[in-house]
Amino acid sequence: MKNKVTTLYKCKECGYTSPGKMGKCPECGGWGTFEQTTIGRSQGFSMSTPISAPVPLTEINNDTKKRYSTNLTEVDRVLGGGIVPGSVILVGGEPGIGKSTLLLQIADSLLKEVSKASTNDINKTILYASGEESPSQIKLRANRLSISNKNLLLTFETEISSIQQMVKEYDPCVLIVDSIQTVYTNSIEGTAGSISQIRETTQILVNLAKRNNITVFIVGHVTKDGNIAGPKFLEHLVDVVLYIEGEKNSIIRMLRSNKNRFGETGELGILSMKEKGLMPVSDPSEVFLGKLDSSRSGTLIFPSLEGIRTLFLEIQALCTQSFTPVPRRVISGSDFNRTIMLAAILEKRIGVSFIGLDYFVNVTGGSRINDPAADLAISIALLSSRSDIQLPSKLVAFGEVGLSGEIRPVVGAEKRIQEAQQRKFFPIFVPSGSISKPSKNSSIIEISHINEIVEKLK
Ligand code: TYD
Ligand code: MG
């Protein structure tokens, strides 16, 4: 059969193809990166013999994979109980947040754990491929963390076939690649860190993990908007996506899983960056809450559900007279548009105006809330600061606010109430209907519309 030759234009950076030449690549945004290329396309069907026969579902073994504990409780919690051999774990976070520190700690902890294992099922070395830092920098960090383990092998190779070769030779149980933006393959064009290189090297690492049954940790940089840099499908290729979050100048670091093929997402690990690395935090709410001894305006507590835990966060708002032509709205820790919407609902439904006022909303400790259950707490904080209403020092509130100002029920109400009561927080503002039978406990206050807030605070 004749081959038909088609002329195409291909982006050197990311491999995007187009029938016509383009100035700017729609995939990676590169300028002048298109080159002419030809492809031969055979017409019609061609039959090839499959390599393996399909297997009936009933004949596939229930191979519940063994997990290896990292011995770091907060990390195990987020991973769903430990690491699964053959899995690929992507770790993202801003520069300096603690990715390399955490991975070095995980490596050391895992080595201690597997050295105890009596079986020979697992190899007892870990290969750490670092393209980011020099040997002496890593040594310095290891000294700081009091890590000294001869089974932790370091390499500064960044060409992927050399790393593959080393895996073949040393057969480690875990491979750590720090970071994916520094490794490259000679088999395709483009510099390390370009989209096509990231795509190709990740694919090679995924194959390596599955074929050799080793766990691969891949460090990924994040872009300005907080996503892992590179093609979005990077996250589809791997089994687990972890993010390390937190404010640079706070010591609290949060480990969150965005995707986990072997466990639940939504679990949160809380660590604090100490002199000797990242340490688990046993009572996270204590680090997020300030002193709760006097009443103040604009500050209250929101019970946030994070996996199986309830985390108590402080929500603060500050409204001040604006001296700029366009008043400022500075929002950190909650969704910008949703917060603006809540201020608009307060204006429309209870007539408090934010005209000529700057407002600032903050969730303390560098935490981030993506839960509409925080609506009521944010609205109360804004209203309290705007109208100088003193709030009880241990006031807790949760509930979703609808556009007409109604307070809607949210998931996990019982759990939030129960844990707030255990901590002796009161009063607790909840959406009406959240408690099955009217409680004798006067600390729970049901609220059905935002126009009841002021009345119920009296
Ligand atoms: P690092 O792991 O290098 O971050 P990343 O790999 O995400 O870029 O973390 C660097 C920061 O952590 C640095 O600012 C110093 C701090 N740090 C500690 O506070 N304690 C420690 O024990 C270590 C190793 C680092
Ligand atoms: Mg690093």
Side-chain angles (χ1 to χ4, degrees):
M1 213 167 273
K2 258 191 187 169
N3 270 5
K4 187 182 170 193
V5 175
T6 315
T7 304
L8 283 177
Y9 291 86
K10 187 173 174 186
C11 170
K12 285 194 292 217
E13 284 296 318
C14 69
Y16 179 86
T17 50
S18 142
K21 191 167 182 173
M22 294 170 125
K24 184 185 177 189
C25 174
E27 170 116 357
C28 68
W31 287 94
T33 52
F34 279 86
E35 281 179 344
Q36 193 173 355
T37 164
T38 51
I39 55 161
R41 201 170 52 196
S42 63
Q43 290 179 337
F45 290 104
S46 76
M47 301 284 275
S48 59
T49 325
I51 299 162
S52 59
V55 188
L57 178 65
T58 47
E59 282 176 27
I60 293 177
N61 287 339
N62 255 355
D63 181 18
T64 40
K65 288 207 167 175
K66 182 167 173 33
R67 288 173 186 271
Y68 290 92
S69 162
T70 61
N71 228 350
L72 302 165
T73 46
E74 296 298 295
V75 178
D76 277 354
R77 173 208 305 283
V78 178
L79 289 174
I83 62 161
V84 177
S87 60
V88 183
I89 302 164
L90 185 61
V91 182
E94 288 184 8
I97 201 81
K99 300 181 291 298
S100 308
T101 305
L102 183 68
L103 288 175
L104 205 57
Q105 283 183 267
I106 291 179
D108 182 53
S109 226
L110 262 174
L111 282 173
K112 285 185 184 141
E113 197 64 20
V114 297
S115 69
K116 283 190 242 152
S118 52
T119 64
N120 286 331
D121 301 354
I122 184 152
N123 285 304
K124 294 176 181 164
T125 54
I126 290 183
L127 181 62
Y128 190 123
S130 172
E132 299 247 325
E133 287 162 313
S134 68
S136 55
Q137 281 173 306
I138 296 195
K139 180 71 185 158
L140 221 64
R141 175 178 297 121
N143 286 346
R144 194 169 172 179
L145 301 170
S146 311
I147 291 176
S148 163
N149 198 320
K150 66 178 186 340
N151 291 329
L152 180 57
L153 310 174
L154 299 179
T155 171
F156 303 93
E157 283 291 344
T158 48
E159 207 283 308
I160 202 91
S161 63
S162 318
I163 298 175
Q164 277 176 298
Q165 195 56 41
M166 270 182 228
V167 168
K168 218 177 198 174
E169 199 169 318
Y170 296 96
D171 203 12
C173 62
V174 172
L175 167 68
I176 297 170
V177 178
D178 189 358
S179 64
I180 194 68
Q181 279 83 5
T182 57
V183 291
Y184 67 98
T185 164
N186 283 328
S187 63
I188 59 163
E189 281 180 35
T191 49
S194 65
I195 292 178
S196 55
Q197 284 285 357
I198 292 178
R199 175 158 42 193
E200 194 67 20
T201 46
T202 308
Q203 189 67 64
I204 296 173
L205 290 171
V206 171
N207 293 342
L208 185 87
K210 307 291 165 194
R211 210 172 306 123
N212 299 285
N213 204 31
I214 65 173
T215 305
V216 178
F217 282 93
I218 302 175
V219 172
H221 290 181
V222 294
T223 54
K224 260 190 263 136
D225 50 6
N227 293 315
I228 292 176
K232 192 71 190 158
F233 84 83
L234 198 71
E235 299 194 12
H236 294 288
L237 283 181
V238 301
D239 300 306
V240 181
V241 181
L242 299 183
Y243 277 95
I244 307 180
E245 296 167 357
E247 295 231 326
K248 275 277 189 58
N249 41 18
S250 137
I251 60 162
I252 298 300
R253 298 286 181 268
M254 278 154 284
L255 189 65
R256 209 183 278 277
S257 77
N258 263 26
K259 164 182 175 176
N260 192 350
R261 287 189 181 146
F262 311 110
E264 290 201 18
T265 52
E267 274 300 344
L268 185 72
I270 300 183
L271 301 148
S272 70
M273 183 62 98
K274 293 273 173 66
E275 268 303 294
K276 285 196 168 294
L278 290 158
M279 301 292 166
V281 174
S282 52
D283 185 2
S285 295
E286 253 168 36
V287 290
F288 289 114
L289 297 179
K291 279 211 172 70
L292 306 172
D293 43 13
S294 56
S295 65
R296 54 239 160 124
S297 71
T299 299
L300 75 164
I301 305 164
F302 167 64
S304 176
L305 284 189
E306 304 284 352
I308 56 162
R309 290 197 291 201
T310 310
L311 202 62
F312 290 91
L313 304 172
E314 229 175 283
I315 293 188
Q316 301 186 321
L318 181 71
C319 298
T320 51
Q321 191 189 343
S322 179
F323 296 102
T324 53
V326 180
R328 288 191 295 164
R329 275 85 182 88
V330 182
I331 288 145
S332 105
S334 69
D335 182 70
F336 184 85
N337 290 326
R338 198 156 182 101
T339 310
I340 300 285
M341 180 190 86
L342 294 170
I345 296 171
L346 287 172
E347 288 203 1
K348 183 79 181 170
R349 302 297 165 201
I350 52 176
V352 289
S353 166
F354 291 95
I355 294 173
L357 295 177
D358 288 335
Y359 57 76
F360 306 85
V361 174
N362 184 32
V363 181
T364 57
S367 192
R368 214 159 35 89
I369 303 176
N370 269 327
D371 184 359
D375 289 356
L376 181 60
I378 296 172
S379 306
I380 295 177
L382 278 169
L383 178 64
S384 152
S385 179
R386 160 70 183 74
S387 308
D388 263 328
I389 302 170
Q390 295 293 307
L391 298 177
S393 62
K394 292 182 178 175
L395 170 66
V396 172
F398 66 86
E400 184 178 342
V401 177
L403 288 183
S404 58
E406 82 282 14
I407 314 292
R408 296 158 168 266
V410 295
V411 290
E414 301 260 320
K415 192 169 157 59
R416 297 183 211 245
I417 295 173
Q418 203 185 350
E419 296 211 16
Q421 284 179 327
Q422 273 170 11
R423 285 177 182 266
K424 306 209 165 26
F425 291 151
F426 67 93
I428 307 167
F429 278 30
V430 304
S432 52
S434 293
I435 38 178
S436 38
K437 47 182 185 297
S439 157
K440 284 188 215 92
N441 195 327
S442 59
S443 70
I444 302 173
I445 295 175
E446 290 190 88
I447 172 164
S448 56
H449 194 276
I450 51 166
N451 60 16
E452 297 164 20
I453 296 174
V454 179
E455 176 65 23
K456 298 217 160 145
L457 278 171
K458 279 179 187 159

Short mmCIF file of all heavy atoms in Angstrom, two decimals, residues 94-101 141 144-145 273-277, ligand 1:
data_model
loop_
_atom_site.label_atom_id
_atom_site.label_comp_id
_atom_site.label_asym_id
_atom_site.label_seq_id
_atom_site.Cartn_x
_atom_site.Cartn_y
_atom_site.Cartn_z
N GLU A 94 6.19 25.21 46.07
CA GLU A 94 7.01 26.37 45.70
C GLU A 94 8.46 26.15 46.08
O GLU A 94 8.75 25.34 46.96
CB GLU A 94 6.46 27.60 46.41
CG GLU A 94 5.15 28.04 45.82
CD GLU A 94 4.63 29.30 46.46
OE1 GLU A 94 5.36 29.92 47.25
OE2 GLU A 94 3.49 29.63 46.14
N PRO A 95 9.37 26.90 45.45
CA PRO A 95 10.79 26.75 45.82
C PRO A 95 10.98 27.07 47.31
O PRO A 95 10.37 28.03 47.81
CB PRO A 95 11.51 27.78 44.96
CG PRO A 95 10.52 28.32 44.02
CD PRO A 95 9.17 27.85 44.37
N GLY A 96 11.77 26.27 47.98
CA GLY A 96 12.10 26.55 49.38
C GLY A 96 11.03 26.12 50.37
O GLY A 96 11.15 26.36 51.56
N ILE A 97 9.98 25.46 49.90
CA ILE A 97 8.90 25.07 50.81
C ILE A 97 9.29 23.83 51.62
O ILE A 97 8.76 23.59 52.71
CB ILE A 97 7.58 24.87 50.01
CG1 ILE A 97 6.35 24.97 50.91
CG2 ILE A 97 7.56 23.56 49.24
CD1 ILE A 97 5.93 26.35 51.19
N GLY A 98 10.21 23.03 51.08
CA GLY A 98 10.66 21.86 51.85
C GLY A 98 10.53 20.53 51.12
O GLY A 98 10.51 19.48 51.76
N LYS A 99 10.48 20.56 49.78
CA LYS A 99 10.31 19.31 49.02
C LYS A 99 11.53 18.40 49.21
O LYS A 99 11.40 17.23 49.52
CB LYS A 99 10.11 19.61 47.52
CG LYS A 99 8.91 20.46 47.22
CD LYS A 99 8.75 20.71 45.74
CE LYS A 99 9.82 21.60 45.12
NZ LYS A 99 9.89 22.97 45.64
N SER A 100 12.72 18.98 49.00
CA SER A 100 13.93 18.17 49.11
C SER A 100 14.12 17.70 50.55
O SER A 100 14.56 16.56 50.78
CB SER A 100 15.15 18.97 48.67
OG SER A 100 14.92 19.53 47.41
N THR A 101 13.79 18.55 51.50
CA THR A 101 13.92 18.17 52.92
C THR A 101 13.02 16.98 53.21
O THR A 101 13.44 15.99 53.80
CB THR A 101 13.52 19.37 53.81
OG1 THR A 101 14.29 20.49 53.44
CG2 THR A 101 13.70 19.06 55.28
N ARG A 141 22.47 19.50 54.03
CA ARG A 141 21.09 19.30 54.46
C ARG A 141 20.98 18.01 55.29
O ARG A 141 20.33 18.00 56.32
CB ARG A 141 20.15 19.24 53.26
CG ARG A 141 18.73 18.92 53.69
CD ARG A 141 17.74 18.88 52.56
NE ARG A 141 17.58 20.15 51.89
CZ ARG A 141 17.81 20.33 50.60
NH1 ARG A 141 18.18 19.32 49.85
NH2 ARG A 141 17.64 21.51 50.06
N ARG A 144 22.24 18.54 58.70
CA ARG A 144 21.27 19.30 59.48
C ARG A 144 20.15 18.39 60.00
O ARG A 144 19.64 18.57 61.09
CB ARG A 144 20.69 20.38 58.56
CG ARG A 144 19.96 21.42 59.29
CD ARG A 144 19.65 22.57 58.37
NE ARG A 144 18.77 23.48 59.08
CZ ARG A 144 18.31 24.58 58.57
NH1 ARG A 144 18.66 24.95 57.37
NH2 ARG A 144 17.51 25.35 59.28
N LEU A 145 19.79 17.41 59.15
CA LEU A 145 18.70 16.50 59.52
C LEU A 145 19.22 15.28 60.28
O LEU A 145 18.46 14.37 60.58
CB LEU A 145 17.97 16.02 58.26
CG LEU A 145 17.34 17.09 57.37
CD1 LEU A 145 16.87 16.49 56.06
CD2 LEU A 145 16.18 17.74 58.09
N MET A 273 8.24 23.09 60.10
CA MET A 273 9.64 23.12 59.70
C MET A 273 10.48 23.57 60.88
O MET A 273 10.43 24.72 61.29
CB MET A 273 9.79 24.08 58.51
CG MET A 273 11.19 24.16 57.95
SD MET A 273 11.84 22.63 57.29
CE MET A 273 11.54 22.82 55.56
N LYS A 274 11.20 22.61 61.44
CA LYS A 274 12.00 22.92 62.64
C LYS A 274 13.48 22.94 62.24
O LYS A 274 13.84 22.71 61.10
CB LYS A 274 11.76 21.84 63.69
CG LYS A 274 10.34 21.84 64.25
CD LYS A 274 10.25 22.80 65.41
CE LYS A 274 8.83 22.99 65.92
NZ LYS A 274 8.26 21.81 66.51
N GLU A 275 14.32 23.14 63.25
CA GLU A 275 15.76 23.12 63.04
C GLU A 275 16.23 21.81 62.40
O GLU A 275 17.10 21.77 61.57
CB GLU A 275 16.46 23.28 64.40
CG GLU A 275 16.75 24.72 64.74
CD GLU A 275 17.58 25.38 63.67
OE1 GLU A 275 18.74 24.96 63.51
OE2 GLU A 275 17.07 26.29 62.98
N LYS A 276 15.56 20.71 62.83
CA LYS A 276 15.97 19.40 62.33
C LYS A 276 14.96 18.84 61.34
O LYS A 276 14.62 17.65 61.38
CB LYS A 276 16.18 18.44 63.49
CG LYS A 276 17.48 18.72 64.24
CD LYS A 276 17.87 17.56 65.11
CE LYS A 276 19.28 17.69 65.63
NZ LYS A 276 20.31 17.61 64.62
N GLY A 277 14.44 19.69 60.48
CA GLY A 277 13.56 19.22 59.42
C GLY A 277 12.09 19.29 59.75
O GLY A 277 11.67 19.96 60.70
P1 TYD B 1 14.12 22.72 50.67
O1 TYD B 1 13.82 21.33 51.10
O2 TYD B 1 15.44 22.99 50.09
O3 TYD B 1 12.99 23.26 49.72
P2 TYD B 1 12.63 22.88 48.20
O4 TYD B 1 13.33 21.63 47.87
O5 TYD B 1 11.14 22.77 48.22
O6 TYD B 1 13.07 24.03 47.36
O7 TYD B 1 13.85 23.61 51.97
C1 TYD B 1 14.57 24.73 52.17
C2 TYD B 1 14.09 25.55 53.34
O8 TYD B 1 13.85 24.78 54.51
C3 TYD B 1 15.15 26.50 53.66
O9 TYD B 1 14.59 27.79 53.68
C4 TYD B 1 15.67 26.11 55.01
C5 TYD B 1 14.57 25.33 55.60
N1 TYD B 1 15.02 24.23 56.47
C6 TYD B 1 14.76 24.25 57.83
O10 TYD B 1 14.17 25.20 58.35
N2 TYD B 1 15.16 23.20 58.61
C7 TYD B 1 15.83 22.14 58.10
O11 TYD B 1 16.17 21.20 58.84
C8 TYD B 1 16.10 22.14 56.68
C9 TYD B 1 16.84 21.00 56.06
C10 TYD B 1 15.67 23.18 55.91
#
